[in-house]
Amino acid sequence: MLYYFNDFVFDSQSLVLMQGKTSVAIRHNEAQVLKVLLEHSAVVVSKELLLELVWQNKIVSEQAIFQNISHLRALFGNDAIKTFAKRGYQWQLAFEIGQQEVIPTTVHVAKKHQGRLCGLPLRSLSC
């Protein structure tokens, strides 16, 4: 599922976040938290549910949730995610849902080649 908000597109299947035509670096767990918040945007998502869906059977503290929420707020703004004391979190930004498609079409990777650094499209791995 594709979620469109502000100038971002988030692919909840591949966990890829795009801003315009540029891929945005986002950690796996941050992408998972974002997915849960978007998929459950109509309700307040409890910390327990986030721990269950994102970290599954791993033992982590609630600090892990707080750090991921903080990073997402840094990307999208403080108003993107509302905290409900002793209840959880809720996505606040308006979004649209679109058809599934493959994004990004071109990913740039850095490759060291003959002592120089080249930004290369994924399709072309030579300088």
Side-chain angles (χ1 to χ4, degrees):
M1 182 97 33
L2 294 179
Y3 293 90
Y4 297 87
F5 53 94
N6 295 347
D7 60 342
F8 292 95
V9 179
F10 177 67
D11 184 332
S12 64
Q13 183 176 350
S14 65
L15 302 178
V16 172
L17 178 66
M18 302 288 291
Q19 186 173 23
K21 294 183 180 184
T22 306
S23 180
V24 177
I26 186 171
R27 295 182 183 122
H28 180 75
N29 285 344
E30 293 168 357
Q32 290 282 13
V33 169
L34 178 58
K35 177 181 177 178
V36 171
L37 291 175
L38 287 167
E39 288 177 347
H40 298 86
S41 64
V43 298
V44 175
V45 178
S46 70
K47 293 176 185 176
E48 293 78 15
L49 183 60
L50 280 171
L51 287 170
E52 178 183 328
L53 295 176
V54 175
W55 286 272
Q56 297 170 358
N57 295 322
K58 296 176 185 157
I59 298 173
V60 297
S61 71
E62 290 182 3
Q63 183 66 25
I65 296 172
F66 177 76
Q67 287 176 341
N68 283 272
I69 295 289
S70 293
H71 290 159
L72 292 173
R73 284 180 175 147
L75 276 173
F76 308 125
N78 287 331
D79 296 335
I81 302 168
K82 184 173 182 177
T83 301
F84 290 84
K86 300 186 190 270
R87 291 181 53 211
Y89 302 94
Q90 186 178 35
W91 184 258
Q92 298 294 300
L93 299 180
F95 63 86
E96 293 181 14
I97 297 174
Q99 295 293 329
Q100 188 67 35
E101 61 185 57
V102 179
I103 59 172
T105 56
T106 302
V107 175
H108 290 278
V109 295
K111 178 183 173 188
K112 194 167 187 164
H113 183 72
Q114 297 176 353
R116 58 192 172 110
L117 195 59
C118 304
L120 303 171
L122 192 58
R123 294 185 201 126
S124 170
L125 294 178
S126 62
C127 290

